[in-house]
Amino acid sequence: MNKRHKEWLLNIIGILIVFIFLFPVFWMIVTSFKTQAEIFQTPPTFLPSEWQFGSYQEIMQNDILQNFMNSLLISSLTTLLVLVLAVPSAYGLARFSIRGKELFILLFLVTQMLPATVILTPLFILFNQIGVLNSYIGPILACATLGIPFSVLILRTFFLGIPRELEDAAKIDGCNPLSAFLRIVMPLAMPSIIVCGAVSFFFTWGDLIFSVTFNRSQELWPLTAGIYNAIGQYGIEWNSLMAFATISALPVLIIFILLQKRLVKGLASGAVK
Amino acid sequence: MLKKLASRWEGYLFVFPAVIFMLALIGYPLIYNLVLSFQDMDLQALNLGESSFLGLENYKVLFSDTVFWISVKNTLLYTVGSVVFQFIIGFLLALFFSLKFRLASFLRGITLVSWLIPLTISALLFRFMMGSEEGIFNQLLMSTGFINDPVPWLTSPEMALWSIVLVNIWVGIPFNMLLLSTGLSNLPEDIYESASLDGANVFQKFFHITVPLLRPVILIVMMLGFIYTFKVFDLVFVMTGGGPVNSTEVLSTLAYRYSFNDFEFSMGAATANILFAILFLVSLVYLRMIKKDEVM
């Protein structure tokens, strides 16, 4: 087998592996365009015999738009909160001599591993006491605890790699640490900050447990909670459920496609270090 | 002198907002969880704003509850099953994609989709595919003649846990593969070249060069896999809700059930503390491991 044949063969095997692996995602999308009769047909059809959009129309009549806006609002605000807190913190841990620095880094490392269910009960009681149940505040605060440790750890590694001379030069030119940080370091760190923002967005977008626990009112529910609720409502109307699922996964897929290379790199470096 | 003092303060100003936030939303709840687990907090006590001290009573009740021991066992089976298989498959795929061909890094990248889509969606999707009549798994297996009767993926107490493990493996593979790929790409190539000159075959190279050199990464991947899988909640919650007959109940779903179905917050807190204690021990091992080679 010569080199070119081998290259071809590897590419084809690779595509096959990825297709089989991602078949469930393909199946989700395809099913959402099928009729109910076609879903139960044996043998199954690979592609819809006729593409129909009825499932999408049906779920639109439900509150999916409200769910979508809630997801968008909760995830965006959480991401903003994460970045506002995590970026300076990561910078401080990378640049300043701070007493107890190791302890703080440890704090972020440990909290990253904490299951949501461990803090769920005490947070519920705390939020009840301060009166933020049944609002967007509960899920936003809780979801920010997922993104902050991740972002601090990744960004700190990044800041450590920026030569200190850049800021020193800025300080000689009369910048104080804050403006040196904002004007010199932040622009350099933008790609990494975007990765952290995207990951925090994904974490929050995927949250189910915080929203359903802290908010009884369904008007505040994100897509994940809406879909969980819809399981009971639609039963085995799988085309509608898969349409719901497709819409819920869509923003994640779009952001992923836009940022693919950066995300893969950022995740790899962040998780190992 | 003054300037030095000022610069030290500036550092704290950068660091503290996030630290205080995390202490308030993670540190305080952890301590409060401990307090709660010694109390008798239920819905009534919550409304009154006072609850009585019970000491270790909740833990006694918990330890005499058979469902608790079932969920400990399930959590361990679930975690070990998931970690082992997602590691093996992830490693094989990492090796395959480390071969140099044009689409390698692109294809490796898009597998991350399974890790990124919300767990609620994956859970629902597999619930559909594992349906006994309409599910594609059974349809494929039956039409190809592998089985005659539909597999009760999620409806049989013997199978349900393993079916969820299967989904968790699917979710976890890209993460394992990604970390192992990064590790593989950092291995020095000249060792392999000299091994080839000495006549080593593929398997010898793998077991005598790749595995020993990759040992630190392998350990970290397994450890992170353990930590991330041990806290599983969403998959079980959406796919089976712990059933049939508690056969898929894990510690996190049990803690949730105590707190938010039965409104026995103290029992929920006690269960969560057990989960936390186990995870904490594993995290200590993990922290020791990364401390060796990091700049901390």
Side-chain angles (χ1 to χ4, degrees):
Chain A
M1 197 160 44
N2 68 32
K3 232 180 167 172
R4 254 189 72 205
H5 282 131
K6 201 181 159 198
E7 162 90 20
W8 267 103
L9 192 66
L10 286 175
N11 278 317
I12 290 167
I13 297 175
I15 292 170
L16 264 175
I17 290 176
V18 170
F19 181 76
I20 294 170
F21 185 77
L22 291 182
F23 177 79
V25 180
F26 167 80
W27 200 239
M28 165 180 83
I29 299 169
V30 165
T31 304
S32 72
F33 292 107
K34 285 182 179 174
T35 60
Q36 191 66 7
E38 194 175 353
I39 293 173
F40 284 89
Q41 184 182 316
T42 29
T45 49
F46 195 62
L47 288 170
S49 49
E50 200 181 327
W51 296 74
Q52 57 92 29
F53 296 84
S55 326
Y56 286 92
Q57 282 164 357
E58 191 181 330
I59 56 169
M60 282 303 169
Q61 284 160 8
N62 247 305
D63 286 337
I64 190 170
L65 207 63
Q66 176 76 43
N67 291 145
F68 193 90
M69 295 316 285
N70 288 340
S71 278
L72 207 58
L73 185 77
I74 296 172
S75 305
S76 314
L77 287 178
T78 306
T79 305
L80 196 69
L81 179 63
V82 166
L83 293 180
V84 165
L85 291 171
V87 176
S89 194
Y91 181 69
L93 287 171
R95 271 296 184 268
F96 294 88
S97 62
I98 284 165
R99 211 172 281 172
K101 187 194 275 187
E102 285 200 8
L103 200 70
F104 294 140
I105 296 172
L106 200 69
L107 173 83
F108 290 119
L109 268 172
V110 172
T111 46
Q112 198 183 7
M113 301 161 190
L114 212 65
T117 29
V118 167
I119 54 167
L120 200 64
T121 305
L123 275 186
F124 176 81
I125 295 175
L126 175 70
F127 287 167
N128 182 43
Q129 281 163 355
I130 59 176
V132 294
L133 289 183
N134 288 315
S135 74
Y136 292 117
I137 299 174
I140 289 175
L141 291 178
C143 287
T145 65
L146 307 172
I148 288 175
F150 176 86
S151 305
V152 169
L153 295 173
I154 286 210
L155 288 171
R156 177 176 164 268
T157 319
F158 179 82
F159 289 138
L160 284 172
I162 297 182
R164 199 181 273 263
E165 288 75 31
L166 285 174
E167 290 136 272
D168 289 341
K171 278 176 197 159
I172 292 168
D173 292 343
C175 282
N176 62 36
L178 185 65
S179 63
F181 166 66
L182 290 177
R183 286 160 57 179
I184 311 289
V185 182
M186 280 274 281
L188 280 175
M190 219 20 112
S192 303
I193 293 176
I194 290 172
V195 168
C196 292
V199 172
S200 305
F201 191 89
F202 292 155
F203 282 165
T204 314
W205 192 268
D207 163 64
L208 167 68
I209 184 172
F210 287 135
S211 270
V212 292
T213 308
F214 300 145
N215 293 331
R216 293 277 154 206
S217 144
Q218 296 189 7
E219 284 151 41
L220 300 173
W221 277 2
L223 283 164
T224 45
I227 206 170
Y228 179 69
N229 205 33
I231 297 174
Q233 188 188 342
Y234 288 108
I236 51 166
E237 284 176 44
W238 288 112
N239 46 5
S240 298
L241 283 171
M242 289 302 119
F244 208 140
T246 304
I247 288 183
S248 309
L250 202 59
V252 176
L253 294 179
I254 291 173
I255 297 177
F256 176 70
I257 290 166
L258 290 176
L259 294 177
Q260 197 202 347
K261 272 205 178 123
R262 271 181 195 162
L263 263 174
V264 173
K265 236 168 119 186
L267 284 169
S269 71
V272 176
K273 287 213 169 117
Chain B
M1 178 67 202
L2 248 176
K3 207 171 171 195
K4 214 169 182 180
L5 200 69
S7 80
R8 187 181 283 169
W9 271 107
E10 279 153 0
Y12 290 106
L13 287 180
F14 277 99
V15 174
F16 267 8
V19 170
I20 291 168
F21 183 87
M22 292 306 281
L23 284 177
L25 282 136
I26 301 276
Y28 170 78
L30 280 181
I31 295 166
Y32 188 45
N33 228 9
L34 208 60
V35 176
L36 266 179
S37 71
F38 297 127
Q39 288 180 339
D40 183 19
M41 180 72 90
D42 53 17
L43 208 53
Q44 201 187 0
L46 184 72
N47 289 333
L48 287 172
E50 54 183 30
S51 61
S52 51
F53 182 77
L54 277 185
L56 291 169
E57 189 58 35
N58 290 320
Y59 289 97
K60 277 186 202 153
V61 175
L62 195 62
F63 291 151
S64 59
D65 183 356
T66 46
V67 178
F68 169 75
W69 294 108
I70 291 174
S71 42
V72 171
K73 190 192 77 185
N74 285 344
T75 309
L76 288 176
L77 285 178
Y78 184 94
T79 307
V80 173
S82 300
V83 170
V84 168
F85 286 103
Q86 67 196 19
F87 175 78
I88 293 174
I89 300 172
F91 204 170
L92 288 174
L93 289 178
L95 287 170
F96 174 75
F97 285 114
S98 73
L99 299 173
K100 289 180 179 58
F101 58 97
R102 201 175 172 158
L103 294 172
S105 76
F106 167 75
L107 289 172
R108 182 173 52 207
I110 58 171
T111 56
L112 264 181
V113 164
S114 81
W115 189 66
L116 287 173
I117 50 178
L119 283 174
T120 311
I121 312 279
S122 312
L124 178 70
L125 179 52
F126 275 87
R127 208 171 129 165
F128 167 48
M129 295 198 302
M130 289 172 170
S132 55
E133 302 293 323
E134 73 279 24
I136 184 74
F137 284 4
N138 280 345
Q139 283 186 336
L140 280 180
L141 287 172
M142 283 169 80
S143 61
T144 51
F146 273 104
I147 49 167
N148 291 321
D149 300 311
V151 177
W153 296 97
L154 294 169
T155 44
S156 121
E158 285 81 37
M159 275 213 72
L161 185 71
W162 301 109
S163 300
I164 306 178
V165 168
L166 190 74
V167 184
N168 196 82
I169 293 170
W170 182 73
V171 172
I173 284 173
F175 181 75
N176 281 257
M177 176 171 67
L178 186 66
L179 296 196
L180 290 164
S181 292
T182 314
L184 283 173
S185 67
N186 290 335
L187 295 183
E189 275 186 39
D190 45 347
I191 302 186
Y192 289 92
E193 279 159 21
S194 51
S196 301
L197 288 177
D198 291 341
N201 65 32
V202 182
F203 294 101
Q204 287 170 324
K205 279 192 255 182
F206 178 72
F207 286 107
H208 295 289
I209 304 177
T210 310
V211 173
L213 282 178
L214 219 53
R215 215 181 85 100
V217 181
I218 291 174
L219 285 175
I220 285 176
V221 170
M222 304 266 291
M223 205 51 91
L224 278 178
F226 186 93
I227 290 166
Y228 288 133
T229 313
F230 202 76
K231 61 186 192 183
V232 61
F233 176 82
D234 305 56
L235 284 183
V236 178
F237 189 64
V238 177
M239 289 186 78
T240 61
V245 274
N246 300 322
S247 62
T248 56
E249 196 82 80
V250 288
L251 281 171
S252 53
T253 53
L254 184 67
Y256 183 86
R257 210 158 53 100
Y258 271 130
S259 283
F260 300 104
N261 286 355
D262 308 345
F263 297 105
E264 296 203 31
F265 299 116
S266 289
M267 287 297 289
T271 313
N273 282 334
I274 304 288
L275 176 65
F276 176 65
I278 300 174
L279 262 181
F280 188 72
L281 289 177
V282 178
S283 304
L284 284 183
V285 179
Y286 168 70
L287 289 174
R288 270 190 91 102
M289 270 165 34
I290 56 168
K291 203 166 179 180
K292 271 190 211 152
D293 54 12
E294 225 224 342
V295 276
M296 266 179 53

